[in-house]
Amino acid sequence: MMALRSGSKGVKDKNIRPLGGIPLFAHTARAVLGSEAYRHGGTLLVNTDSKEYAKIANEYGAGTPFIRPASMARDSSPIREAIEYSFRFFEERAEKFDLFGLIQATSPFTESADLDRGVAELNDGTRLKSVISVTEADVPPVWCNTLDETLSMKDFLSKEIRQKNRQELPKYYRVTDAVRIARWLDFKANNFDWYFDDSKALIIDRSRSIDIDSEEDFSYAEFLMQKRKPGAA
């Protein structure tokens, strides 16, 4: 499933805004459609509150069997509501799936191989319940802290951390939300929470872990897209 809510405030209509000649979401849609998982019986669902978005999604190979109610498409609406609505839709029609994946439309550098690696992890005969994409953190979290109104740096970093070079610190990872896949029944039983004791990280290279949430993000994605073109310097 890809969730395409209309009315984005940070970047107007970002999900359908052109990037590299096609709508932003279409890059991720192509990754899904090009995956082995899709070719072996997968379904690409776009969950949207917009008939316009649904029409565009259809043009790029996605199914849009329903329009999400406006009550679930507010700025404050949790994605869990859209997921649960999708589950009810399919289950009421007795349509069954083994796995459910949420693929982020605003991560245009996600590749088919990322999805296939995640599905393979869940199909390798273990009882793994979910995979969640992560990437190496830009900044070690031990270099971060909060500040009060005085902006005092007292105890901002512990003495132990201050005395270490970055190379001496562990490698830290952050969640990206680009790819999340879980077993259908386990995910539902877990109240649509991706995190289980039997969850595993799906590491995606930092150079491709771009989530577009601002004009600056969009400009950077355009720059990266231009560099990826054949013949680019």
Side-chain angles (χ1 to χ4, degrees):
M1 183 184 104
M2 297 175 65
L4 303 187
R5 187 176 67 85
S6 63
S8 172
K9 291 183 177 179
V11 180
K12 182 175 173 55
D13 287 325
K14 67 178 177 181
N15 286 315
I16 60 169
R17 180 167 163 178
L19 174 68
I22 61 175
L24 171 59
F25 83 88
H27 292 279
T28 312
R30 286 181 172 180
V32 175
L33 296 174
S35 68
E36 290 291 329
Y38 179 81
R39 290 197 292 269
H40 287 82
T43 296
L44 174 55
L45 164 73
V46 161
N47 180 316
T48 181
D49 61 306
S50 164
K51 291 182 179 180
E52 177 191 3
Y53 279 30
K55 181 181 177 183
I56 298 171
N58 294 157
E59 292 171 0
Y60 284 90
T64 53
F66 58 81
I67 298 297
R68 188 196 317 177
S71 61
M72 297 181 184
R74 304 187 182 98
D75 287 340
S76 59
S77 297
I79 188 63
R80 180 185 174 281
E81 290 184 350
I83 293 172
E84 189 172 3
Y85 188 88
S86 299
F87 267 64
R88 285 201 307 270
F89 177 87
F90 287 112
E91 290 180 343
E92 285 171 0
R93 289 157 181 78
E95 294 188 55
K96 297 181 179 180
F97 300 93
D98 296 324
L99 303 177
F100 175 80
L102 182 64
I103 314 302
Q104 189 160 257
T106 53
S107 298
F109 300 106
T110 300
E111 297 179 351
S112 301
D114 300 322
L115 312 180
D116 286 331
R117 283 194 296 121
V119 171
E121 290 283 3
L122 289 162
N123 286 338
D124 70 352
T126 68
R127 279 307 301 163
L128 192 68
K129 290 185 172 63
S130 73
V131 293
I132 300 164
S133 61
V134 302
T135 195
E136 188 176 350
D138 301 327
V139 176
V142 290
W143 285 2
C144 304
N145 209 330
T146 58
L147 288 169
D148 62 21
E149 64 277 2
T150 70
L151 304 183
S152 172
M153 291 294 287
K154 184 177 184 297
D155 299 324
F156 189 87
L157 299 180
S158 69
K159 185 175 181 180
E160 178 188 4
I161 294 302
R162 295 198 304 266
Q163 292 175 340
K164 287 186 175 181
N165 294 321
R166 179 168 184 153
Q167 293 79 4
E168 299 176 84
L169 297 174
K171 186 178 288 188
Y172 290 91
Y173 293 87
R174 64 173 178 83
V175 173
T176 70
D177 289 343
V179 178
R180 286 169 284 182
I181 308 171
R183 298 188 188 280
W184 183 281
L185 293 178
D186 291 328
F187 186 49
K188 182 181 178 183
N190 203 38
N191 201 28
F192 305 103
D193 185 346
W194 297 100
Y195 292 84
F196 301 83
D197 290 341
D198 298 322
S199 295
K200 187 173 182 178
L202 178 70
I203 299 175
I204 297 179
D205 190 84
R206 194 164 62 190
S207 67
R208 296 191 295 104
S209 296
I210 309 297
D211 175 27
I212 296 178
D213 196 42
S214 67
E215 287 291 346
E216 290 76 14
D217 294 335
F218 211 102
S219 294
Y220 183 50
E222 288 177 323
F223 167 74
L224 292 178
M225 196 69 67
Q226 186 65 34
K227 283 190 66 176
R228 286 166 177 254
K229 286 185 177 180

